[in-house]
Amino acid sequence: MDKDDPTSTSTISGVEGKPSATLFLPPHSLASCVVTGVERDTRTLSLTQEQRYNFFPASPLCTISWFFEGTSYLVDPDNPTPSFSRPVPQLSFAGPQTKPLVSWNPGPVDALTVAIYPEAWTQLVECDLETLIDKTLPLEDVVSTALLDLCQKVLLEHKTEISFQQFMHGLGPIWANSRPPRFSVYYRLSDWAHELATKAASSGTGKSVRQAQRRIKSWTGQSQRDLQFYARNEALFEKTLAAATKGPLDLATVALEAGFADQAHMGRSVRKLTGMSPSKLNDLIATAEAFWCYRLIGERF
């Protein structure tokens, strides 16, 4: 990573007004591969059991996670009672998630997660992403290349606030050797999904709609309709944030501006993505420590 190609960051505060999570954006040289990085550090916070939950939306992206300190357990979103039967590996991979995720930390934690575009992941690692949908696995079960060596090095050499930069620095040459020509840089999921559809329609010998859809499925593990679902909800989140700065939210108007048929259509989509209604989600994002990830995502817009 060049010195003149730095990452950028945003930080949010948790309870007691202390920093609790940091959002990292990749350098331009890696923006066609890496979407974002998120570090969650609760070592200086006094959290209740309820505040140690972590709520995440469904996502089309692949992720690598490092747990430098502390432990995390996946729990059932419909019955989020802490269970110690599903610990997240200290160095883990998660495929695209079609359902919202909930995890719980029994104590303080310092963890980094890096989100990667799925078709970039298949350039880095030869795998069938369809078999990894909704899976969280030890990274070594999925990767056995220089990428694994780099991730293990980041885990062993962790120093506060530099692990993301260390990963970007090491990933640069790996991505340069893996990426095909004409990989574009994206800022929004809608841009990514649109270009992916265009590329699928113009790639290979077959130009039919069904063949293009098969290409998208092989590149991302998901259908074009799935990707449009995520892109529309991202647009909704962005428009909701913008509308909230202007006064009381008019959800019906926001729904139409984000491309939904009506407010009910929007509600079904948001519930599928997050597990709850738009009004409840907005309240929890504003008030609940466990929804820190949603607040941090808002820093991108």
Side-chain angles (χ1 to χ4, degrees), residues 24 38-41 43 64-71 89-91 108-114 150-164 166-167:
F24 299 94
V38 171
E39 183 166 11
R40 172 69 165 167
D41 187 354
R43 291 173 296 174
I64 300 173
S65 294
W66 296 257
F67 285 85
F68 305 115
E69 293 187 35
T71 308
Q90 188 178 19
L91 179 55
V109 67
D110 181 20
L112 172 68
T113 295
V114 174
L150 169 62
C151 293
Q152 291 173 331
K153 182 179 180 181
V154 171
L155 182 65
L156 293 173
E157 298 181 0
H158 172 61
K159 297 179 181 179
T160 303
E161 297 181 358
I162 69 165
S163 290
F164 181 79
Q166 181 185 9
F167 182 59

Side-chain angles (χ1 to χ4, degrees), residues 23-283:
L23 177 80
F24 299 94
L25 297 180
H28 187 271
S29 58
L30 283 166
S32 59
C33 176
V34 174
V35 183
T36 189
V38 171
E39 183 166 11
R40 172 69 165 167
D41 187 354
T42 64
R43 291 173 296 174
T44 64
L45 305 180
S46 299
L47 300 180
T48 64
Q49 176 169 307
E50 183 178 357
Q51 290 170 332
R52 291 201 297 268
Y53 282 102
N54 309 281
F55 286 80
F56 306 100
S59 170
L61 307 174
C62 299
T63 61
I64 300 173
S65 294
W66 296 257
F67 285 85
F68 305 115
E69 293 187 35
T71 308
S72 187
Y73 293 87
L74 295 177
V75 298
D76 182 355
D78 296 323
N79 182 28
T81 301
S83 168
F84 300 103
S85 60
R86 301 177 62 195
V88 178
Q90 188 178 19
L91 179 55
S92 64
F93 166 83
Q97 301 294 310
T98 63
K99 302 175 183 178
L101 278 179
V102 182
S103 67
W104 184 75
N105 310 126
V109 67
D110 181 20
L112 172 68
T113 295
V114 174
I116 297 173
Y117 289 108
E119 81 278 18
W121 179 262
T122 58
Q123 291 293 324
L124 291 167
V125 180
E126 289 188 13
C127 65
D128 180 0
L129 264 185
E130 284 192 67
T131 66
L132 297 172
I133 299 291
D134 293 324
K135 299 285 182 64
T136 299
L137 302 166
L139 185 64
E140 60 266 26
D141 289 358
V142 184
V143 182
S144 59
T145 61
L147 179 60
L148 177 61
D149 295 337
L150 169 62
C151 293
Q152 291 173 331
K153 182 179 180 181
V154 171
L155 182 65
L156 293 173
E157 298 181 0
H158 172 61
K159 297 179 181 179
T160 303
E161 297 181 358
I162 69 165
S163 290
F164 181 79
Q165 288 87 339
Q166 181 185 9
F167 182 59
M168 293 295 95
H169 180 80
L171 184 62
I174 296 175
W175 178 237
N177 291 329
S178 302
R179 61 174 289 177
R182 296 174 57 194
F183 249 55
S184 300
V185 173
Y186 316 103
Y187 182 69
R188 290 173 173 80
L189 291 179
S190 56
D191 299 331
W192 165 64
H194 176 75
E195 180 153 332
L196 201 65
T198 301
K199 185 163 59 177
S202 60
S203 298
T205 56
K207 307 295 185 182
S208 72
V209 172
R210 180 170 295 182
Q211 288 168 322
Q213 291 172 341
R214 279 200 289 263
R215 292 187 189 104
I216 291 173
K217 190 88 168 181
S218 68
W219 294 339
T220 69
Q222 299 156 99
S223 68
Q224 184 176 359
R225 184 177 180 179
D226 294 332
L227 301 184
Q228 290 171 341
F229 162 78
Y230 294 113
R232 181 177 291 172
N233 276 282
E234 181 188 61
L236 173 64
F237 188 46
E238 183 177 3
K239 291 182 182 300
T240 300
L241 290 173
T245 65
K246 301 175 183 177
L249 274 176
D250 181 346
L251 290 177
T253 299
V254 172
L256 294 176
E257 290 179 349
F260 293 94
D262 51 33
Q263 188 172 342
H265 180 206
M266 176 190 70
R268 291 191 297 272
S269 184
V270 171
R271 189 175 292 277
K272 179 180 177 182
L273 184 79
T274 69
M276 57 199 68
S277 69
S279 58
K280 181 179 180 181
L281 177 65
N282 288 336
D283 289 343

